Amino acid sequence: ASPYYGRIYLAWTDFNLPGTQIVERHTDNGGGVWTAQQSISAALGGAPQGAWPAVSPDGKVYVAWVDRASNAVISMQVVRSNDGGGTWSAVAVQPAVDVVNPRDAAASSTCGRTALNGNLRYLPSPQIAVGPDLALHIVYTRDPNAQGTGDASNVYYRRSTTFGDSWGPEVQLNDDVTLSDQFFAALSVGSTNFIGVGWYDRREDPANIRYNYYATTSYDGGQTWQPNVKVSDVDSGIVLDTGLATCYHGDYDTHVQTASAILRQWADDRPDGTASNNSNAYVDSEPVSTDFLVLSADASETICAGTPASYPLTIPQFQSFSEQVTLSSTGAPAGTTAGFGTNPVTPPGTSTFNLGNTGAVPFGSYTITVTGTSSPSNFVHSSNLSLAVFTLAGGTPTLTAPGNGDVNVILLPQLSWAAATQAATYEIDVATDGAFTNIVYTQPGITGTSHTLTTPLQPVTAYSWRVRSTNVCGTGTNSATFAFTTRAIPPTLVVDDDDNGPDVLTTFSTMLATATEDFDVWDTGNSDNEPSAAQLAPYKRVIWFSGDEFGGAAGPGAAGEAALTTWLSTNSGNCLILDSQDYLFDRDITTFGTNFLGIATKTDDVGHTSATGRNFFTQNGVSALSFPFTNYADNVTTTAGTLAAFNGTGGTSAGVGVIYRDNVSWKTMLFTIAIEGFPAPTRQAVFDRALALCDAIFQDGFDTGASTRWSATLP
């Protein structure tokens, strides 16, 4: 019904305008044409940042932000447009003026900007939303007392029923009694006028570091609030990625609502099976209604025929709804008996759905619908339950690959088989003998019909493998046995980490072929899908290149660096050649870069136009560089024990662009001047010498005459 229905509004911070300003543009044709940029904060002044727009059902548009003109205090400011973004003016009363800026003094000093404990940089931006009754809602964080006293950050809410020109009382939403931080509050308002707010919360950690995700809900448009609930299942520490801005961990989340649920999403650094524990995104939903719902915390059951099934039911209450709810069911398999532990139920209440007499139920999956009907209002809500029935133990799988008698099988093969009857999961065994007296690899609980080994097999070795199916009724018989022999391992793994624009794999495969070197290829797909330590283990050399890729995934990420650390440290003689002009731009100087590559400092994007060989590469002379992509070669300085391979000149400055490090038990070489930029004949010569350096017993390969690594010299 809005007169501006279909209009899209975009608001953001323009740091190039005097004093920094919030600006707005809008479009009526899906982004084809946008109005001219206009400042909507100039009249308020200050240092605005963190624009958050919201559209009202009647066509009004609001934008809120935080004014950070002072590090000591902040203000939450709101402007409104009554004509679809044509003109803007400040609301008559701002929701928060000169409140204490949430910050930890020590962390802020370390980070060089406002930060919370744990060196977590923090922008206390507000979020706003408009309800179906046209009320304007805002959430924000502030320090409830003087800086350095008591709490550093709490979550607050205000509501305006006068389009922002006046505000109701400020309500603190976090109900803990600790002095811990609550931060990054997110807000949603749904069609039922339920309001959901969530935030990161450290109340459970006395050290005020680790956090969970907490939330609260208002079922009456912001007039009253439910007790806080913990949404996350586990707590999380703070992992600051050195490849990102200093102290950066995120700035805000967005929540949404459907007609029947509040969807809350957040990110945390809980252990996820990787070496880095980088942030992952999580989501959880809170079902909502205006009266009651029928829910099951365990809505799926798997049984062997003849075994009863039972489902716990919860009938929550909304807005003090208290009518009796009568439960019924449809869809139960023929011949079974269905009933409820408690029926009827008065919300809030619980019951169970019980299914018996299942002995004659055929194999298959069934959906049972449980319905609640209130009396006398006759409100109806339903929930679906899933039932999987097995009637006998799983059948015998048929193996497909590797085929019986296959040779030259890779060391991490994918084993596959045809589906067996009534199989829920599969178990595999790999052994060095057909009688399976020496099982070297086993894996239960496989849900598909294939599995890729996670531990490499030995090269040039005969193996036998078999599969059996399992389900709730029991374990089936083993399949027939297939035998295969693994292949020999080439010395080199090439990690193709470019963006294929251009694809420079050909450059490296040609150089390796010319050097008569066999190799395998791992394609990261221009991502951090990188080989693990186990997958690197069979190789003596790794050649890792990133070509033109930049802006996120150039070179090894945290997990890749951890894998390379293990690989270099575990087996003596391993050698890494990393060819990446933007590895340092994307990842910065990490512990791996310092300890294994020998990087002390860097200067990004120098853009060398020539390279002069040094030390082991002196005989390669001077080369004019010409790259198949934009030249962003870097300068580096080295740690003790790391040598320059090539100096670069002709860019914005001169310096070292290629370095190598010989740690006796392992060797590394870093090309920030990408080898693809050398002219073809020289490129091959440089590459050959790099391979020779990998294989050399002594750092200089006897070529330079240096004797620094000898214990003694004789005339």
Side-chain angles (χ1 to χ4, degrees):
S2 165
Y4 312 106
Y5 179 75
R7 183 166 291 180
I8 301 172
Y9 304 87
L10 177 66
W12 73 96
T13 310
D14 190 332
F15 293 96
N16 296 314
L17 293 176
T20 300
Q21 298 178 39
I22 305 295
V23 297
E24 181 269 348
R25 298 179 74 180
H26 52 268
T27 176
D28 286 322
N29 62 351
V33 178
W34 292 83
T35 58
Q37 173 178 315
Q38 61 175 325
S39 173
I40 61 177
S41 67
L44 289 169
Q49 191 173 345
W52 199 273
V55 181
S56 176
D58 65 351
K60 292 183 178 64
V61 190
Y62 303 86
V63 179
W65 58 80
V66 59
D67 173 19
R68 301 171 64 231
S70 165
N71 276 330
V73 296
I74 53 175
S75 296
M76 306 300 160
Q77 298 180 334
V78 180
V79 295
R80 181 182 69 230
S81 173
N82 296 328
D83 56 5
T87 58
W88 295 82
S89 60
V91 298
V93 177
Q94 297 298 342
V97 178
D98 291 342
V99 295
V100 179
N101 194 359
R103 69 198 188 281
D104 176 83
S108 299
S109 175
T110 298
C111 296
R113 58 175 292 166
T114 304
L116 298 178
N117 190 42
N119 295 337
L120 184 75
R121 86 176 202 185
Y122 188 53
L123 178 67
S125 302
Q127 291 193 15
I128 58 173
V130 183
D133 59 354
L134 308 186
L136 176 62
H137 309 271
I138 185 169
V139 293
Y140 52 91
T141 57
R142 67 172 178 86
D143 190 327
N145 36 48
Q147 196 274 324
T149 302
D151 264 354
S153 182
N154 284 335
V155 177
Y156 295 92
Y157 162 84
R158 297 189 79 176
R159 178 179 71 146
S160 173
T161 58
T162 59
F163 314 110
D165 288 336
S166 63
W167 296 86
E170 182 184 70
V171 179
Q172 180 179 313
L173 294 185
N174 54 290
D175 58 13
D176 67 304
V177 293
T178 71
L179 300 181
S180 61
D181 295 335
Q182 286 78 36
F183 52 99
F184 289 144
L187 167 72
S188 68
V189 181
S191 59
T192 58
N193 211 21
F194 289 0
I195 306 172
V197 179
W199 60 85
Y200 297 81
D201 197 306
R202 289 169 162 172
R203 70 180 66 184
E204 297 181 36
D205 181 16
N208 197 32
I209 294 290
R210 301 185 68 81
Y211 65 87
N212 276 281
Y213 200 77
Y214 271 73
T216 184
T217 305
S218 172
Y219 298 130
D220 54 12
Q223 298 181 67
T224 61
W225 293 87
Q226 300 298 305
N228 292 181
V229 294
K230 183 166 66 173
V231 181
S232 52
D233 298 322
V234 299
D235 70 340
S236 171
I238 297 290
V239 178
L240 296 175
D241 188 338
T242 57
L244 302 179
T246 301
C247 299
Y248 181 79
H249 196 259
D251 277 331
Y252 51 81
D253 300 310
T254 304
H255 291 182
V256 296
Q257 291 191 34
T258 68
S260 60
I262 300 172
L263 302 178
R264 295 185 172 98
Q265 66 88 26
W266 72 98
D268 63 45
D269 303 318
R270 70 183 71 178
D272 61 357
T274 69
S276 62
N277 289 342
N278 284 330
S279 292
N280 288 307
Y282 297 88
V283 67
D284 208 344
S285 63
E286 177 190 348
V288 293
S289 170
T290 56
D291 37 68
F292 73 95
L293 289 173
V294 178
L295 305 174
S296 178
D298 186 5
S300 298
E301 287 287 329
T302 300
I303 64 170
C304 187
T307 304
S310 181
Y311 302 79
L313 300 177
T314 301
I315 296 81
Q317 175 194 59
F318 298 89
Q319 298 183 343
S320 301
F321 184 80
S322 59
E323 294 182 6
Q324 279 195 337
V325 174
T326 301
L327 301 173
S328 60
S329 67
T330 58
T336 59
T337 57
F340 297 92
T342 301
N343 196 16
V345 178
T346 300
T350 61
S351 184
T352 56
F353 173 72
N354 301 308
L355 190 71
N357 198 31
T358 64
V361 177
F363 166 71
S365 296
Y366 303 87
T367 298
I368 303 168
T369 301
V370 173
T371 300
T373 305
S374 71
S375 178
S377 298
N378 208 39
F379 295 134
V380 177
H381 293 284
S382 297
S383 182
N384 288 333
L385 309 176
S386 297
L387 176 69
V389 179
F390 293 87
T391 60
L392 45 80
T396 304
T398 300
L399 307 187
T400 56
N404 195 19
D406 280 1
V407 296
N408 293 322
V409 174
I410 62 175
L411 303 193
L412 289 168
Q414 182 185 71
L415 310 180
S416 60
W417 53 92
T421 57
Q422 296 205 31
T425 62
Y426 297 91
E427 299 176 352
I428 64 169
D429 295 322
V430 179
T432 56
D433 64 304
F436 291 89
T437 57
N438 184 34
I439 296 175
V440 296
Y441 186 92
T442 187
Q443 182 68 47
I446 301 168
T447 56
T449 57
S450 66
H451 174 74
T452 300
L453 272 62
T454 58
T455 302
L457 302 175
Q458 294 299 310
V460 197
T461 302
Y463 290 96
S464 297
W465 68 288
R466 65 188 181 189
V467 180
R468 55 194 166 272
S469 65
T470 63
N471 63 35
V472 69
C473 293
T475 301
T477 58
N478 285 315
S479 67
T481 298
F482 273 15
F484 64 85
T485 302
T486 52
R487 67 175 175 85
I489 290 296
T492 301
L493 176 66
V494 174
V495 180
D496 180 351
D497 199 20
D498 68 4
D499 59 6
N500 295 329
D503 185 353
V504 296
L505 174 60
T506 302
T507 300
F508 287 88
S509 59
T510 298
M511 290 189 297
L512 283 161
T514 302
T516 64
E517 294 285 345
D518 293 331
F519 60 93
D520 290 336
V521 176
W522 178 289
D523 193 339
T524 69
N526 189 28
S527 72
D528 279 348
N529 176 28
E530 299 167 343
S532 66
Q535 291 159 333
L536 294 172
Y539 301 95
K540 298 303 292 180
R541 300 193 205 107
V542 171
I543 299 173
W544 194 311
F545 66 85
S546 66
D548 192 49
E549 202 288 325
F550 73 96
E561 289 184 337
L564 288 168
T565 297
T566 300
W567 176 74
L568 287 168
S569 304
T570 302
N571 296 307
S572 179
N574 286 349
C575 179
L576 168 68
I577 298 174
L578 176 56
D579 179 272
S580 178
Q581 65 175 7
D582 280 309
Y583 162 64
L584 295 177
F585 178 83
D586 279 8
R587 314 293 189 179
D588 211 339
I589 301 176
T590 63
T591 301
F592 176 81
T594 300
N595 293 344
F596 286 90
L597 298 175
I599 308 162
T601 66
K602 58 141 182 169
T603 304
D604 287 324
D605 303 340
V606 170
H608 298 297
T609 56
S610 68
T612 303
R614 296 271 308 281
N615 295 307
F616 187 59
F617 293 85
T618 301
Q619 70 185 61
N620 293 111
V622 180
S623 298
L625 303 173
S626 178
F627 296 86
F629 39 72
T630 306
N631 175 11
Y632 288 118
D634 297 341
N635 274 347
V636 294
T637 63
T638 60
T639 60
T642 305
L643 298 179
F646 283 92
N647 281 1
T649 57
T652 58
S653 65
V656 178
V658 184
I659 58 178
Y660 63 98
R661 182 172 177 82
D662 183 352
N663 191 254
V664 180
S665 61
W666 50 261
K667 300 178 179 68
T668 62
M669 188 167 187
L670 172 65
F671 285 81
T672 69
I673 299 175
I675 198 170
E676 300 96 296
F678 285 81
T682 304
R683 181 191 311 138
Q684 186 67 47
V686 170
F687 185 72
D688 288 346
R689 292 187 68 75
L691 293 181
L693 179 64
C694 279
D695 297 337
I697 298 175
F698 300 100
Q699 178 174 292
D700 64 9
F702 295 104
D703 287 34
T704 67
S707 58
T708 55
R709 297 183 62 89
W710 292 74
S711 60
T713 58
L714 297 175

